[in-house]
Amino acid sequence: RTATGRTDLCWISALDAVHCNIFATPTETFDLGIIIVPKRFDGNLMDVYWHVKRFSNKTAVMQEGNQTIWQDLVINQQFRYLNLLSSVDIIYCHNEYDQKYFKGLIQGSDVRILPTLALMDSVQRDKLSIDERSGTMISGTMCEWYSGMDSFIIAQEFGEPTYAPSMGRKKSEEDDIEELTFLPYMNWGDWMVKLNKVKYGVNLMRTIAAGSFSLNCAMLSIPTVGYNVLDTQRLCFPETSVDIGDLVSARKLAKHLRDNKLFYDHVANYANSMAKDIYGEEQFLKNFYEPFKI
């Protein structure tokens, strides 16, 4: 099995699950059918539910994007989404932050965290040493979804060349920012090769979702400044995580990482250890199956 980075594909691979189109009709019955509602969906969500229920003993919905993205749907779809959440046996979400939201949204629901997973064994074997690294990677482009400008401004504290991945929301004029180099669109394997070369990460993205950027940085031992409501950031980088919007503390931490090598080494090593212990495949499978044994 080759390394893979997309969160959903990692789940499918680790669980040895069958991936179906949202309207596909399998020829077998499954213990659990998990519905991931696309960010844009024009069909009847309850039709999808009844369709999946026909070939699944239990049904679940997995959060897609941030916790409130469904509120961008047209009004009748918003109510269908709420009906869908009320109908399934399990609601899966990304973070403790999201778990509290969905438990309050659908009273009495069984809300479980489905942790982010990255299958990175082959990438970690090629991990560079600190002395071989240079530059800072920010987690996204200049839009509200990624809060790229916040990350870019804090990244300047490191005094290193700053890079960013090209994402779907990227604006053409962003290429004119002289202090920022955008990587071309690439597959996940090439992205890991590029990320492996940088010394620092900044993930001040206010859209709280899967947190794969912080997890990838942790697995590659790249100290990263980010927000503490994101599980992958808070658990892997507790000493470089700040409250949402606290750029004062983010700036101080960036300076401390830059000026204190002992602190840098400690953050890097701790993050790598936590990424393996908390977000490794073995722990993921244990966390997933344990509630079903009750």
Side-chain angles (χ1 to χ4, degrees):
R1 180 178 63 187
T2 58
T4 183
R6 275 188 58 98
T7 304
D8 53 346
L9 296 181
C10 287
W11 289 331
I12 293 166
S13 178
L15 294 169
D16 194 23
V18 175
H19 177 238
C20 299
N21 177 283
I22 202 165
F23 288 115
T25 304
T27 57
E28 55 188 308
T29 300
F30 300 96
D31 294 325
L32 178 66
I34 302 176
I35 302 166
I36 301 179
V37 179
K39 293 182 177 69
R40 296 180 181 85
F41 186 74
D42 297 327
N44 189 329
L45 289 170
M46 294 311 295
D47 285 347
V48 175
Y49 165 73
W50 287 112
H51 177 69
V52 174
K53 189 172 177 61
R54 283 188 300 167
F55 54 82
S56 304
N57 295 329
K58 286 182 177 292
T59 57
V61 166
M62 176 61 210
Q63 173 189 352
E64 165 66 3
N66 65 312
Q67 60 183 221
T68 57
I69 193 172
W70 61 275
Q71 294 182 27
D72 282 335
L73 298 170
V74 295
I75 293 300
N76 67 334
Q77 285 286 56
Q78 291 189 34
F79 282 107
R80 286 172 176 171
Y81 184 79
L82 292 173
N83 287 336
L84 175 64
L85 295 184
S86 299
S87 300
V88 296
D89 299 292
I90 303 167
I91 299 172
Y92 284 113
C93 62
H94 289 301
N95 306 280
E96 290 182 13
Y97 172 78
D98 302 305
Q99 188 178 41
K100 294 175 183 178
Y101 172 80
F102 285 108
K103 279 189 173 182
L105 188 68
I106 308 297
Q107 190 171 2
S109 57
D110 181 359
V111 183
R112 306 177 188 180
I113 297 172
L114 189 61
T116 303
L117 175 66
L119 306 175
M120 295 182 62
D121 290 344
S122 62
V123 175
Q124 286 196 300
R125 284 197 298 269
D126 298 327
K127 191 169 55 179
L128 296 180
S129 68
I130 292 173
D131 293 336
E132 295 176 288
R133 298 179 184 274
S134 63
T136 303
M137 187 71 71
I138 64 174
S139 57
T141 56
M142 307 297 153
C143 62
E144 185 179 13
W145 183 271
Y146 293 109
S147 305
M149 192 62 79
D150 292 345
S151 294
F152 172 69
I153 289 171
I154 299 305
Q156 302 312 295
E157 289 294 344
F158 294 118
E160 299 265 348
T162 305
Y163 304 92
S166 293
M167 311 296 283
R169 293 172 176 82
K170 181 185 175 187
K171 307 174 184 69
S172 59
E173 60 268 27
E174 293 182 44
D175 287 320
D176 297 332
I177 303 174
E178 293 183 1
E179 297 86 358
L180 180 62
T181 300
F182 276 98
L183 305 181
Y185 293 97
M186 60 184 66
N187 63 40
W188 185 82
D190 292 337
W191 156 241
M192 284 298 98
V193 171
K194 294 292 186 182
L195 182 61
N196 191 25
K197 295 179 179 180
V198 303
K199 189 174 182 179
Y200 307 99
V202 183
N203 184 20
L204 297 173
M205 177 177 170
R206 294 188 182 219
T207 304
I208 305 303
S212 57
F213 180 89
S214 291
L215 179 57
N216 291 167
C217 287
M219 288 184 164
L220 292 170
S221 303
I222 303 169
T224 299
V225 177
Y227 288 132
N228 55 23
V229 292
L230 185 66
D231 283 5
T232 56
Q233 174 68 34
R234 182 185 72 257
L235 297 175
C236 294
F237 299 102
E239 294 171 275
T240 57
S241 297
V242 302
D243 294 337
I244 288 183
D246 186 0
L247 298 189
V248 171
S249 295
R251 194 180 289 273
K252 289 179 180 178
L253 286 168
K255 292 178 180 178
H256 195 34
L257 282 171
R258 179 195 67 198
D259 298 335
N260 189 325
K261 188 177 185 302
L262 287 177
F263 180 62
Y264 178 99
D265 292 346
H266 163 71
V267 171
N269 293 330
Y270 183 87
N272 184 257
S273 176
M274 288 299 99
K276 293 176 182 177
D277 291 347
I278 299 174
Y279 291 103
E281 186 174 0
E282 181 178 349
Q283 188 62 41
F284 168 80
L285 292 172
K286 179 181 178 181
N287 291 342
F288 182 87
Y289 286 115
E290 190 65 31
F292 294 104
K293 299 177 182 178
I294 298 175

